[in-house]
Amino acid sequence: QLPDQQTTSESPLSWFRGVYLPPALHPLNKTLVKGNKWKDVDSTQEKRRSFLHDFCKKYNSRKKLQTHLVHLVSRIYVEDRHKVLYCEVPKAGCSNWKRVLIVLNGLATSAHNISHDDVHYGKHLRKLDSYDLKGIYTRLSMYTKFIFVRDPMERLVSAFRDKFEHPNSYYHPVFGKAIIKKYRHNADEEALKTGSGVQFREFIQYLLDSHRPVGMDIHWEQVSKLCYPCLINYDFIGKFETLEEDANYFLQLVGAPGDLKFPKFKDRHSSDERTSAEVVRQYLKELSEEERQLTYDFYYLDYLMFNYTSP
């Protein structure tokens, strides 16, 4: 609840009263883009932007999401030099995007020299919720806001493989133990003690359970709840499926140094096969038809907002 004095029209929060209306679709500033080679990427970008805008217009008229401004921006990273805001979607190129932001910010000379731990645990980048309300509002109004998304099932399977099929000192004891205890009948002592060896089907039972034994996690939370794309007007919508060309076009748009290109390397478990549509099919075979449908329903909004084909 906001104090009375903050609801006056001088306050940046007067903007917040209208946040539930579909935000205006501002034209992208393309003055820094050189050459014709980005024509197709640009035309795809415009289609994605208007698709999301039209979707939000319909969706918002039916449903109002009452959420505090600070919570809305809690996943957004700030890069002040090039005036960009990036909403982090895990398993959609986020580690390499954070590397690029660190370079843009002048804190490193190359994205290739920044370790995984530095990216995720170093304090190199500020999040938007660390600013005061005026700072949040100013940046939301003035900066270029971007998001990168991925086919929801691919993102889900990628998260499962990363967190549960490799040794992990956090996900196994915290999530694994709780999942095995609740969903595996006759679990042996070793599995209950370590939380290792969670099966995909057990993971899906946890995901779909309204009484989960342990909370949600950003790696499989819906994009609609991480980044609020109908309340925050993203200027640029990239997709993991066209990651490199989208990313390099975006870097042109914001005037990044000419030699900065989006890194191609796989951040972790580089010898593993990438999670593709074929890999996803193999995992979905472990589920019943009803479980597959319910999993799709869980990510229904993400499918709709970003125009992904239902599996």
Side-chain angles (χ1 to χ4, degrees):
Q1 293 298 310
L2 299 166
D4 290 345
Q5 68 268 26
Q6 285 191 313
T7 57
T8 61
S9 58
E10 284 73 40
S11 157
L13 292 185
S14 58
W15 165 82
F16 192 56
R17 285 192 223 127
V19 82
Y20 302 117
L21 302 171
L25 191 62
H26 303 297
L28 265 175
N29 178 1
K30 297 169 191 172
T31 50
L32 298 170
V33 177
K34 299 173 186 75
N36 282 329
K37 71 177 211 169
W38 303 109
K39 226 164 82 174
D40 291 348
V41 188
D42 177 65
S43 130
T44 302
Q45 186 53 227
E46 291 302 343
K47 283 177 194 150
R48 284 179 196 161
R49 277 159 42 89
S50 33
F51 185 90
L52 178 62
H53 184 258
D54 292 346
F55 167 80
C56 291
K57 227 151 119 177
K58 290 177 201 146
Y59 174 74
N60 267 10
S61 62
R62 294 198 306 269
K63 182 176 178 184
K64 292 188 176 182
L65 182 59
Q66 303 291 339
T67 307
H68 193 280
L69 178 62
V70 175
H71 179 69
L72 284 185
V73 301
S74 64
R75 303 295 334 153
I76 294 181
Y77 285 87
V78 178
E79 199 284 283
D80 281 315
R81 273 188 172 191
H82 295 79
K83 295 186 165 45
V84 295
L85 299 177
Y86 165 59
C87 187
E88 176 190 26
V89 176
K91 312 312 297 174
C94 73
S95 300
N96 280 339
W97 261 121
K98 288 200 266 189
R99 287 185 173 92
V100 168
L101 293 180
I102 290 168
V103 174
L104 284 175
N105 218 6
L107 300 170
T109 50
S110 160
H112 293 267
N113 309 333
I114 308 166
S115 73
H116 178 87
D117 284 359
D118 251 5
V119 165
H120 292 287
Y121 309 113
K123 302 285 180 220
H124 305 296
L125 298 167
R126 270 186 87 171
K127 284 192 180 162
L128 192 50
D129 63 357
S130 70
Y131 293 82
D132 63 14
L133 290 168
K134 187 173 187 293
I136 292 174
Y137 169 68
T138 307
R139 285 168 179 79
L140 277 176
S141 309
M142 312 290 293
Y143 286 17
T144 305
K145 301 174 285 297
F146 75 104
I147 182 175
F148 268 70
V149 297
R150 184 177 188 176
D151 174 275
M153 290 294 185
E154 267 187 39
R155 188 176 153 243
L156 176 68
V157 171
S158 174
F160 172 77
R161 294 174 77 202
D162 180 22
K163 303 306 176 196
F164 295 103
E165 292 185 351
H166 293 273
N168 193 298
S169 59
Y170 173 71
Y171 285 90
H172 291 198
V174 174
F175 287 87
K177 277 160 85 164
I179 289 172
I180 289 169
K181 187 178 175 190
K182 182 159 185 185
Y183 307 106
R184 186 178 298 178
H185 303 302
N186 309 320
D188 62 50
E189 248 174 82
E190 182 64 14
L192 289 167
K193 198 170 81 185
T194 63
S196 298
V198 168
Q199 300 298 306
F200 185 62
R201 191 171 185 194
E202 295 167 336
F203 172 64
I204 294 300
Q205 286 175 300
Y206 143 80
L207 185 79
L208 301 175
D209 189 348
S210 55
H211 301 290
R212 291 186 196 101
V214 58
M216 272 302 279
D217 181 85
I218 59 166
H219 290 85
W220 44 86
E221 180 68 277
Q222 301 103 317
V223 178
S224 55
K225 289 187 180 169
L226 288 172
C227 295
Y228 298 98
C230 279
L231 299 183
I232 293 169
N233 183 21
Y234 289 97
D235 302 291
F236 190 94
I237 300 147
K239 289 194 170 182
F240 186 80
E241 294 74 12
T242 48
L243 177 60
E244 236 174 285
E245 54 186 17
D246 287 352
N248 289 324
Y249 178 51
F250 180 78
L251 290 172
Q252 284 259 314
L253 280 172
V254 298
D259 59 349
L260 178 60
K261 297 285 178 279
F262 192 79
K264 289 180 184 182
F265 60 85
K266 193 172 187 286
D267 190 48
R268 288 177 8 124
H269 317 309
S270 51
S271 58
D272 286 7
E273 184 189 351
R274 274 195 187 271
T275 303
S276 61
E278 185 44 52
V279 169
V280 171
R281 262 195 291 279
Q282 298 308 315
Y283 279 82
L284 292 182
K285 280 180 184 172
E286 296 175 31
L287 308 181
S288 69
E289 202 174 319
E290 186 191 11
E291 286 165 331
R292 286 199 293 269
Q293 181 61 48
L294 290 170
T295 307
Y296 167 70
D297 294 345
F298 185 82
Y299 290 106
Y300 180 62
L301 266 187
D302 288 0
Y303 273 101
L304 287 187
M305 283 179 170
F306 301 108
N307 200 15
Y308 279 108
T309 312
S310 58

